[in-house]
Amino acid sequence: MSSSIPAVRTALARASVTPDSLTDAELAALLLAEGEELDALTGLADALRREAVGEAVRFVVNRNVSSDLFGASVPPPSGPHAGAPRVLDLAAIGDIADDAWQLGGTEVCIQGTVPAVGEDGAHAGTTPAHPFVYADIARAVKGRRPGLHLHAFRPADLVDGARRSGLGMPEFLASLREAGVDSVPGTGVKLLDEAQRRSLAPGDLPVDRWLEVVRTAHGLGFRSTSIMFYGRGESPADRVAHLRTLARLQEETGGFTEFVPMPFPELEPLVTARSELDEHRAVTAVARLALLGRIDHLQVPWTKLGLGPSAVMLASGADDLGGTLYDGRVLPTAGVEYGRSLSIADIERTAAALGRPARQRTTVYGEPSAERLEAARTAESAGAGRHAAQADPAPGGPPTASRAAGAIASGSGHSAPAARP
Protein backbone atom coordinates (compact mmCIF):
# COMPACT_ATOMS: atom_id res chain seq x y z
CA MET A 1 0.00 0.00 0.00
CA SER A 2 1.50 3.34 -1.01
CA SER A 3 1.25 6.66 0.76
CA SER A 4 0.51 8.26 -2.63
CA ILE A 5 -3.16 7.32 -2.25
CA PRO A 6 -5.40 10.42 -2.20
CA ALA A 7 -6.70 9.81 1.34
CA VAL A 8 -3.21 10.25 2.82
CA ARG A 9 -2.54 13.44 0.85
CA THR A 10 -5.94 14.87 1.77
CA ALA A 11 -5.53 14.05 5.46
CA LEU A 12 -2.06 15.57 5.53
CA ALA A 13 -3.33 18.78 3.92
CA ARG A 14 -6.13 19.02 6.49
CA ALA A 15 -3.75 18.26 9.35
CA SER A 16 -1.50 21.14 8.36
CA VAL A 17 -4.42 23.58 8.70
CA THR A 18 -6.70 22.16 11.42
CA PRO A 19 -4.74 19.41 13.20
CA ASP A 20 -7.21 19.22 16.10
CA SER A 21 -10.27 18.43 13.98
CA LEU A 22 -9.21 15.39 11.97
CA THR A 23 -11.74 12.61 11.48
CA ASP A 24 -11.09 9.00 12.47
CA ALA A 25 -10.71 8.10 8.80
CA GLU A 26 -8.13 10.85 8.29
CA LEU A 27 -6.07 9.75 11.29
CA ALA A 28 -6.24 6.16 10.07
CA ALA A 29 -5.02 7.26 6.64
CA LEU A 30 -2.07 9.13 8.16
CA LEU A 31 -0.94 5.91 9.87
CA LEU A 32 -0.17 4.64 6.35
CA ALA A 33 2.05 7.57 5.34
CA GLU A 34 5.42 6.83 3.73
CA GLY A 35 8.36 8.66 2.23
CA GLU A 36 8.05 12.42 1.86
CA GLU A 37 4.52 12.40 3.22
CA LEU A 38 5.70 10.64 6.38
CA ASP A 39 8.48 13.22 6.69
CA ALA A 40 5.87 15.99 6.40
CA LEU A 41 3.64 14.27 8.97
CA THR A 42 6.39 13.86 11.54
CA GLY A 43 7.58 17.40 10.91
CA LEU A 44 4.09 18.68 11.64
CA ALA A 45 3.83 16.55 14.79
CA ASP A 46 7.19 17.86 15.93
CA ALA A 47 6.02 21.46 15.46
CA LEU A 48 2.84 20.70 17.42
CA ARG A 49 4.97 19.17 20.19
CA ARG A 50 7.03 22.37 20.31
CA GLU A 51 3.89 24.49 20.62
CA ALA A 52 2.35 22.26 23.29
CA VAL A 53 5.27 21.51 25.64
CA GLY A 54 8.35 23.33 24.34
CA GLU A 55 11.78 22.03 23.38
CA ALA A 56 12.89 20.13 26.49
CA VAL A 57 13.51 16.38 26.40
CA ARG A 58 12.07 15.29 29.73
CA PHE A 59 12.97 12.36 31.99
CA VAL A 60 12.48 11.12 35.55
CA VAL A 61 15.11 9.47 37.77
CA ASN A 62 13.51 6.29 39.03
CA ARG A 63 13.76 2.62 39.93
CA ASN A 64 11.39 -0.21 39.03
CA VAL A 65 10.32 -3.10 41.27
CA SER A 66 8.22 -6.07 40.14
CA SER A 67 5.71 -6.76 42.90
CA ASP A 68 4.81 -10.05 41.25
CA LEU A 69 8.12 -11.22 42.74
CA PHE A 70 7.00 -10.37 46.26
CA GLY A 71 7.86 -13.25 48.56
CA ALA A 72 10.19 -14.83 46.00
CA SER A 73 13.90 -15.43 46.34
CA VAL A 74 15.45 -12.97 43.89
CA PRO A 75 18.81 -13.97 42.39
CA PRO A 76 21.72 -11.55 42.40
CA PRO A 77 23.28 -10.21 39.20
CA SER A 78 25.65 -12.66 37.56
CA GLY A 79 29.37 -12.16 38.06
CA PRO A 80 32.25 -13.05 40.36
CA HIS A 81 30.91 -10.86 43.20
CA ALA A 82 27.28 -11.75 42.77
CA GLY A 83 26.42 -12.43 46.40
CA ALA A 84 23.51 -14.52 47.64
CA PRO A 85 19.84 -14.48 46.66
CA ARG A 86 17.47 -12.48 48.85
CA VAL A 87 13.74 -12.69 49.40
CA LEU A 88 11.80 -9.67 48.15
CA ASP A 89 9.97 -8.93 51.39
CA LEU A 90 8.90 -5.70 53.06
CA ALA A 91 12.34 -5.10 54.54
CA ALA A 92 13.94 -5.54 51.11
CA ILE A 93 11.45 -3.10 49.57
CA GLY A 94 12.35 -0.58 52.23
CA ASP A 95 16.04 -1.09 51.45
CA ILE A 96 15.31 -0.54 47.74
CA ALA A 97 13.55 2.72 48.58
CA ASP A 98 16.57 3.82 50.64
CA ASP A 99 18.90 2.97 47.77
CA ALA A 100 16.75 4.74 45.17
CA TRP A 101 16.77 7.90 47.29
CA GLN A 102 20.54 7.75 47.74
CA LEU A 103 20.90 7.49 43.95
CA GLY A 104 19.00 10.74 43.54
CA GLY A 105 15.70 9.15 42.57
CA THR A 106 12.39 10.94 42.87
CA GLU A 107 10.21 7.91 41.99
CA VAL A 108 9.88 4.22 42.69
CA CYS A 109 7.57 2.38 40.29
CA ILE A 110 6.08 -0.86 41.62
CA GLN A 111 3.73 -3.02 39.60
CA GLY A 112 2.73 -6.65 39.19
CA THR A 113 0.06 -8.79 40.83
CA VAL A 114 1.33 -10.13 44.15
CA PRO A 115 1.25 -13.93 44.03
CA ALA A 116 -0.69 -16.11 46.43
CA VAL A 117 2.61 -17.18 47.98
CA GLY A 118 3.26 -20.38 49.83
CA GLU A 119 2.04 -22.66 47.07
CA ASP A 120 4.93 -23.69 44.83
CA GLY A 121 8.05 -22.63 42.97
CA ALA A 122 10.07 -19.69 44.22
CA HIS A 123 7.42 -18.92 46.86
CA ALA A 124 7.24 -22.43 48.39
CA GLY A 125 7.39 -22.49 52.17
CA THR A 126 6.73 -18.77 52.61
CA THR A 127 3.85 -17.13 54.40
CA PRO A 128 0.76 -16.30 52.33
CA ALA A 129 0.43 -12.60 51.54
CA HIS A 130 -1.57 -10.44 53.93
CA PRO A 131 -4.98 -9.33 52.59
CA PHE A 132 -3.67 -5.75 52.62
CA VAL A 133 -0.29 -6.61 51.10
CA TYR A 134 -0.41 -3.79 48.54
CA ALA A 135 -0.80 -1.22 51.32
CA ASP A 136 1.97 -2.99 53.26
CA ILE A 137 4.29 -2.56 50.26
CA ALA A 138 3.41 1.12 50.00
CA ARG A 139 4.12 1.66 53.69
CA ALA A 140 7.46 -0.12 53.35
CA VAL A 141 8.50 2.50 50.79
CA LYS A 142 7.07 5.58 52.49
CA GLY A 143 8.16 4.46 55.92
CA ARG A 144 11.77 4.65 54.76
CA ARG A 145 11.62 7.50 52.26
CA PRO A 146 8.46 9.60 52.50
CA GLY A 147 9.85 12.02 49.91
CA LEU A 148 9.83 9.41 47.14
CA HIS A 149 6.90 9.51 44.73
CA LEU A 150 5.31 6.05 44.76
CA HIS A 151 3.94 5.20 41.31
CA ALA A 152 2.35 1.84 41.98
CA PHE A 153 -0.09 -0.88 40.99
CA ARG A 154 -1.72 -1.37 37.61
CA PRO A 155 -5.51 -1.65 37.26
CA ALA A 156 -5.16 -5.46 37.36
CA ASP A 157 -3.20 -5.21 40.61
CA LEU A 158 -5.84 -2.87 42.03
CA VAL A 159 -8.61 -5.33 41.17
CA ASP A 160 -6.62 -8.11 42.87
CA GLY A 161 -5.99 -5.99 45.95
CA ALA A 162 -9.63 -4.97 46.27
CA ARG A 163 -10.67 -8.62 46.02
CA ARG A 164 -8.17 -9.72 48.69
CA SER A 165 -9.13 -6.93 51.05
CA GLY A 166 -12.88 -7.30 50.60
CA LEU A 167 -13.17 -3.58 49.87
CA GLY A 168 -14.89 -1.84 47.00
CA MET A 169 -12.58 -0.16 44.51
CA PRO A 170 -13.05 3.40 45.86
CA GLU A 171 -12.41 2.24 49.42
CA PHE A 172 -9.39 0.18 48.39
CA LEU A 173 -7.89 3.09 46.48
CA ALA A 174 -8.45 5.32 49.51
CA SER A 175 -6.56 2.81 51.65
CA LEU A 176 -3.65 2.89 49.19
CA ARG A 177 -3.65 6.69 49.25
CA GLU A 178 -3.43 6.58 53.03
CA ALA A 179 -0.58 4.05 52.79
CA GLY A 180 1.41 6.31 50.48
CA VAL A 181 0.59 5.51 46.83
CA ASP A 182 0.81 8.76 44.85
CA SER A 183 -0.09 7.71 41.28
CA VAL A 184 -0.87 4.53 39.37
CA PRO A 185 0.55 3.04 36.13
CA GLY A 186 -2.07 2.91 33.38
CA THR A 187 -0.61 -0.31 32.06
CA GLY A 188 -1.88 -3.87 31.78
CA VAL A 189 -3.79 -3.18 28.55
CA LYS A 190 -2.87 -3.64 24.89
CA LEU A 191 -5.72 -2.16 22.83
CA LEU A 192 -8.97 -0.80 24.24
CA ASP A 193 -11.10 -3.17 22.19
CA GLU A 194 -12.66 -6.22 23.78
CA ALA A 195 -12.37 -8.46 20.71
CA GLN A 196 -8.68 -7.58 20.41
CA ARG A 197 -8.16 -8.21 24.12
CA ARG A 198 -9.70 -11.67 23.92
CA SER A 199 -7.46 -12.47 20.96
CA LEU A 200 -4.17 -10.86 22.02
CA ALA A 201 -4.22 -10.89 25.81
CA PRO A 202 -7.07 -12.92 27.30
CA GLY A 203 -5.42 -12.70 30.73
CA ASP A 204 -5.74 -8.91 30.83
CA LEU A 205 -8.67 -7.20 32.50
CA PRO A 206 -11.76 -6.81 30.31
CA VAL A 207 -11.60 -3.42 28.63
CA ASP A 208 -14.66 -2.02 30.38
CA ARG A 209 -13.24 -3.05 33.75
CA TRP A 210 -9.86 -1.45 32.98
CA LEU A 211 -11.56 1.80 32.01
CA GLU A 212 -13.75 1.69 35.12
CA VAL A 213 -10.76 1.26 37.44
CA VAL A 214 -8.79 4.06 35.78
CA ARG A 215 -11.82 6.36 35.84
CA THR A 216 -12.31 5.63 39.55
CA ALA A 217 -8.64 6.24 40.32
CA HIS A 218 -8.68 9.55 38.45
CA GLY A 219 -11.87 10.55 40.26
CA LEU A 220 -10.11 10.06 43.59
CA GLY A 221 -7.19 12.25 42.55
CA PHE A 222 -4.70 9.66 41.33
CA ARG A 223 -2.88 10.54 38.12
CA SER A 224 -1.89 7.73 35.74
CA THR A 225 0.04 7.02 32.59
CA SER A 226 -1.62 5.69 29.43
CA ILE A 227 -0.31 3.31 26.78
CA MET A 228 -1.12 1.51 23.53
CA PHE A 229 0.51 -1.63 22.16
CA TYR A 230 0.66 -1.89 18.39
CA GLY A 231 1.96 -4.13 15.64
CA ARG A 232 0.10 -7.41 16.11
CA GLY A 233 -2.32 -7.44 13.18
CA GLU A 234 -4.69 -4.68 14.31
CA SER A 235 -6.02 -2.22 11.74
CA PRO A 236 -5.38 1.53 11.49
CA ALA A 237 -8.97 2.01 12.67
CA ASP A 238 -8.26 -0.10 15.77
CA ARG A 239 -5.33 2.15 16.71
CA VAL A 240 -7.35 5.31 16.15
CA ALA A 241 -10.25 3.95 18.22
CA HIS A 242 -7.85 3.30 21.11
CA LEU A 243 -6.48 6.84 20.95
CA ARG A 244 -9.99 8.30 20.76
CA THR A 245 -11.05 6.32 23.85
CA LEU A 246 -8.09 7.67 25.81
CA ALA A 247 -8.86 11.20 24.61
CA ARG A 248 -12.49 10.93 25.72
CA LEU A 249 -11.49 9.63 29.15
CA GLN A 250 -8.97 12.46 29.48
CA GLU A 251 -11.67 15.00 28.63
CA GLU A 252 -13.79 13.48 31.40
CA THR A 253 -11.16 13.11 34.15
CA GLY A 254 -7.96 14.98 33.20
CA GLY A 255 -6.04 12.22 34.97
CA PHE A 256 -3.50 11.06 32.37
CA THR A 257 0.00 12.47 32.67
CA GLU A 258 1.41 11.05 29.44
CA PHE A 259 0.89 8.57 26.62
CA VAL A 260 3.36 5.82 25.70
CA PRO A 261 3.04 3.94 22.36
CA MET A 262 4.56 0.47 22.84
CA PRO A 263 5.43 -1.83 19.92
CA PHE A 264 4.82 -5.54 20.24
CA PRO A 265 7.87 -7.77 19.81
CA GLU A 266 8.14 -9.06 16.23
CA LEU A 267 6.30 -5.99 14.99
CA GLU A 268 3.87 -6.36 12.09
CA PRO A 269 3.86 -3.01 10.22
CA LEU A 270 0.65 -1.68 8.73
CA VAL A 271 2.48 -1.11 5.43
CA THR A 272 4.33 -4.26 4.45
CA ALA A 273 7.34 -2.61 2.82
CA ARG A 274 7.72 0.06 5.48
CA SER A 275 10.61 -0.17 7.95
CA GLU A 276 9.93 -0.67 11.63
CA LEU A 277 11.43 2.74 12.33
CA ASP A 278 8.91 4.35 9.99
CA GLU A 279 6.11 2.38 11.64
CA HIS A 280 7.11 3.90 14.98
CA ARG A 281 7.39 7.37 13.43
CA ALA A 282 3.87 7.18 12.00
CA VAL A 283 2.36 5.97 15.30
CA THR A 284 4.17 8.67 17.29
CA ALA A 285 3.10 11.44 14.94
CA VAL A 286 -0.54 10.34 14.74
CA ALA A 287 -0.69 9.99 18.53
CA ARG A 288 0.43 13.61 18.85
CA LEU A 289 -2.38 14.66 16.49
CA ALA A 290 -5.08 12.47 18.03
CA LEU A 291 -4.31 13.53 21.61
CA LEU A 292 -3.67 17.20 20.82
CA GLY A 293 -4.98 19.46 23.58
CA ARG A 294 -5.78 16.47 25.78
CA ILE A 295 -2.63 14.53 26.72
CA ASP A 296 0.31 16.87 26.26
CA HIS A 297 3.25 14.59 27.00
CA LEU A 298 4.22 11.77 24.63
CA GLN A 299 6.81 9.35 25.95
CA VAL A 300 9.18 7.18 23.92
CA PRO A 301 9.57 3.55 25.11
CA TRP A 302 13.37 3.61 24.85
CA THR A 303 13.72 0.12 26.33
CA LYS A 304 11.74 -1.24 23.36
CA LEU A 305 13.24 0.89 20.59
CA GLY A 306 16.81 1.61 21.68
CA LEU A 307 18.22 5.06 22.26
CA GLY A 308 18.99 5.90 18.62
CA PRO A 309 15.48 5.24 17.28
CA SER A 310 14.11 6.95 20.38
CA ALA A 311 15.89 10.12 19.26
CA VAL A 312 14.02 9.88 15.96
CA MET A 313 10.72 9.66 17.87
CA LEU A 314 11.70 12.80 19.78
CA ALA A 315 11.72 14.54 16.38
CA SER A 316 8.40 12.93 15.39
CA GLY A 317 6.10 14.37 18.04
CA ALA A 318 7.42 12.91 21.32
CA ASP A 319 8.93 14.97 24.12
CA ASP A 320 9.78 12.50 26.90
CA LEU A 321 12.19 9.61 27.48
CA GLY A 322 10.48 8.34 30.62
CA GLY A 323 12.54 6.86 33.43
CA THR A 324 16.22 6.16 33.93
CA LEU A 325 15.22 2.76 35.39
CA TYR A 326 18.31 2.51 37.58
CA ASP A 327 19.11 -1.04 38.62
CA GLY A 328 20.35 0.17 41.99
CA ARG A 329 22.54 -1.69 44.43
CA VAL A 330 19.82 -3.53 46.37
CA LEU A 331 18.19 -6.45 44.51
CA PRO A 332 18.82 -4.95 41.06
CA THR A 333 17.24 -7.99 39.37
CA ALA A 334 13.90 -7.28 41.08
CA GLY A 335 13.01 -4.80 38.33
CA VAL A 336 11.49 -5.98 35.05
CA GLU A 337 13.91 -3.83 33.03
CA TYR A 338 17.06 -5.05 34.83
CA GLY A 339 20.21 -4.29 32.86
CA ARG A 340 18.62 -1.49 30.84
CA SER A 341 19.42 1.62 32.89
CA LEU A 342 19.70 4.97 31.13
CA SER A 343 22.12 7.54 32.50
CA ILE A 344 21.52 11.27 32.71
CA ALA A 345 24.58 11.67 30.49
CA ASP A 346 22.94 9.41 27.86
CA ILE A 347 19.84 11.58 27.92
CA GLU A 348 21.78 14.84 27.72
CA ARG A 349 23.77 13.58 24.73
CA THR A 350 20.58 12.47 22.99
CA ALA A 351 18.92 15.84 23.55
CA ALA A 352 22.05 17.76 22.49
CA ALA A 353 22.22 15.80 19.22
CA LEU A 354 18.73 17.12 18.49
CA GLY A 355 19.69 20.68 19.47
CA ARG A 356 17.39 20.54 22.51
CA PRO A 357 17.87 20.76 26.29
CA ALA A 358 17.33 17.83 28.66
CA ARG A 359 15.12 18.51 31.67
CA GLN A 360 14.67 16.28 34.69
CA ARG A 361 11.06 16.13 35.91
CA THR A 362 8.96 14.54 38.62
CA THR A 363 6.45 11.77 37.93
CA VAL A 364 3.65 14.31 37.36
CA TYR A 365 5.82 16.73 35.35
CA GLY A 366 6.82 19.07 38.14
CA GLU A 367 10.30 20.34 38.91
CA PRO A 368 12.49 18.23 41.24
CA SER A 369 14.09 20.03 44.16
CA ALA A 370 17.63 21.35 43.84
CA GLU A 371 18.69 18.72 46.37
CA ARG A 372 17.30 15.88 44.21
CA LEU A 373 18.91 17.26 41.07
CA GLU A 374 22.28 17.45 42.78
CA ALA A 375 21.91 14.02 44.41
CA ALA A 376 21.23 12.32 41.06
CA ARG A 377 24.24 13.87 39.39
CA THR A 378 26.52 13.18 42.34
CA ALA A 379 25.49 9.52 42.40
CA GLU A 380 25.96 9.19 38.65
CA SER A 381 29.41 10.74 38.72
CA ALA A 382 30.34 8.15 41.35
CA GLY A 383 29.16 5.37 39.00
CA ALA A 384 26.34 4.18 41.23
CA GLY A 385 23.06 2.66 40.19
CA ARG A 386 23.81 0.90 36.91
CA HIS A 387 24.58 -2.73 36.11
CA ALA A 388 25.45 -3.81 32.54
CA ALA A 389 23.45 -0.92 31.13
CA GLN A 390 22.38 -1.15 27.48
CA ALA A 391 20.77 1.94 26.06
CA ASP A 392 20.38 0.18 22.68
CA PRO A 393 19.06 -3.39 22.64
CA ALA A 394 21.55 -4.85 20.18
CA PRO A 395 25.15 -3.89 19.41
CA GLY A 396 25.51 -2.35 15.97
CA GLY A 397 21.78 -2.58 15.26
CA PRO A 398 19.83 0.62 15.89
CA PRO A 399 21.33 3.99 14.99
CA THR A 400 22.98 6.12 17.63
CA ALA A 401 21.37 9.37 18.71
CA SER A 402 23.82 11.41 16.63
CA ARG A 403 23.20 9.30 13.51
CA ALA A 404 19.47 9.57 14.07
CA ALA A 405 19.70 13.35 14.39
CA GLY A 406 21.74 13.46 11.20
CA ALA A 407 19.10 11.45 9.35
CA ILE A 408 16.43 13.86 10.51
CA ALA A 409 18.43 16.93 9.55
CA SER A 410 19.11 15.57 6.08
CA GLY A 411 15.45 14.73 5.53
CA SER A 412 16.21 11.04 5.13
CA GLY A 413 14.57 9.80 8.30
CA HIS A 414 12.29 7.49 6.36
CA SER A 415 15.25 5.42 5.19
CA ALA A 416 16.97 5.06 8.56
CA PRO A 417 17.68 1.52 9.84
CA ALA A 418 14.79 -0.28 11.42
CA ALA A 419 14.54 -0.40 15.20
CA ARG A 420 14.73 -3.70 17.01
CA PRO A 421 12.04 -4.26 19.64
Side-chain angles (χ1 to χ4, degrees):
M1 192 177 300
S2 170
S3 68
S4 63
I5 59 177
V8 176
R9 295 197 304 273
T10 300
L12 186 57
R14 278 248 303 139
S16 66
V17 178
T18 54
D20 58 348
S21 63
L22 296 173
T23 66
D24 290 1
E26 287 168 334
L27 289 169
L30 290 174
L31 283 167
L32 304 177
E34 297 180 82
E36 293 180 358
E37 289 168 349
L38 179 56
D39 290 342
L41 171 63
T42 56
L44 172 62
D46 195 44
L48 293 171
R49 179 271 308 161
R50 188 177 301 110
E51 292 175 9
V53 294
E55 290 284 24
V57 174
R58 294 166 176 81
F59 67 98
V60 62
V61 176
N62 68 348
R63 165 81 196 269
N64 272 2
V65 179
S66 298
S67 44
D68 53 2
L69 293 176
F70 186 76
S73 179
V74 178
S78 58
H81 307 291
R86 181 179 177 184
V87 172
L88 183 64
D89 55 15
L90 295 176
I93 287 173
D95 290 346
I96 288 171
D98 265 337
D99 186 52
W101 184 264
Q102 291 161 12
L103 294 172
T106 60
E107 170 193 297
V108 169
C109 176
I110 302 179
Q111 54 184 322
T113 301
V114 175
V117 297
E119 296 176 356
D120 55 16
H123 301 87
T126 60
T127 303
H130 189 277
F132 293 94
V133 63
Y134 293 98
D136 291 342
I137 290 171
R139 291 190 184 95
V141 172
K142 288 303 184 90
R144 294 286 191 93
R145 293 294 176 177
L148 275 174
H149 183 107
L150 181 54
H151 183 61
F153 310 132
R154 308 165 303 158
D157 309 333
L158 298 174
V159 168
D160 178 67
R163 177 190 58 78
R164 292 183 193 223
S165 67
L167 297 174
M169 185 56 64
E171 293 76 20
F172 179 67
L173 283 163
S175 74
L176 290 184
R177 173 71 83 192
E178 182 181 1
V181 175
D182 296 299
S183 60
V184 297
T187 53
V189 68
K190 309 300 185 292
L191 281 168
L192 292 171
D193 177 271
E194 187 58 22
Q196 291 281 355
R197 182 200 69 83
R198 288 194 297 267
S199 172
L200 296 173
D204 285 355
L205 287 180
V207 168
D208 285 348
R209 182 61 169 143
W210 188 93
L211 289 168
E212 177 189 2
V213 172
V214 172
R215 182 179 289 108
T216 302
H218 288 181
L220 292 172
F222 289 94
R223 306 294 300 278
S224 79
T225 53
S226 61
I227 67 169
M228 177 182 75
F229 275 79
Y230 63 92
R232 189 53 62 83
E234 73 284 352
S235 69
D238 291 331
R239 296 183 187 180
V240 172
H242 180 102
L243 293 168
R244 293 296 204 199
T245 300
L246 292 177
R248 285 192 297 271
L249 185 54
Q250 183 72 342
E251 289 174 347
E252 177 186 342
T253 70
F256 290 126
T257 51
E258 73 250 52
F259 172 72
V260 192
M262 304 277 284
F264 278 109
E266 301 180 4
L267 181 76
E268 299 174 16
L270 289 176
V271 181
T272 302
R274 190 166 64 181
S275 71
E276 289 188 6
L277 187 68
D278 281 355
E279 185 77 8
H280 305 319
R281 293 173 70 210
V283 170
T284 300
V286 169
R288 173 59 71 183
L289 291 168
L291 301 174
L292 192 62
R294 297 172 180 89
I295 302 176
D296 287 338
H297 296 289
L298 186 54
Q299 184 184 129
V300 182
W302 67 264
T303 61
K304 304 293 185 185
L305 303 187
L307 192 53
S310 293
V312 178
M313 301 311 113
L314 290 168
S316 302
D319 69 289
D320 194 285
L321 277 173
T324 57
L325 304 178
Y326 286 160
D327 290 326
R329 300 161 296 191
V330 176
L331 289 180
T333 59
V336 69
E337 302 286 1
Y338 165 67
R340 303 297 300 283
S341 299
L342 188 63
S343 73
I344 295 173
D346 290 332
I347 296 166
E348 290 175 340
R349 282 191 294 269
T350 300
L354 296 168
R356 290 160 60 183
R359 180 178 300 164
Q360 187 176 336
R361 62 170 174 87
T362 65
T363 306
V364 294
Y365 289 85
E367 296 292 330
S369 68
E371 182 275 332
R372 288 289 83 198
L373 293 170
E374 181 180 359
R377 283 149 185 81
T378 299
E380 182 163 308
S381 67
R386 303 180 81 196
H387 288 82
Q390 299 175 14
D392 278 312
T400 64
S402 59
R403 283 171 56 203
I408 296 163
S410 67
S412 60
H414 60 274
S415 61
R420 298 184 186 182

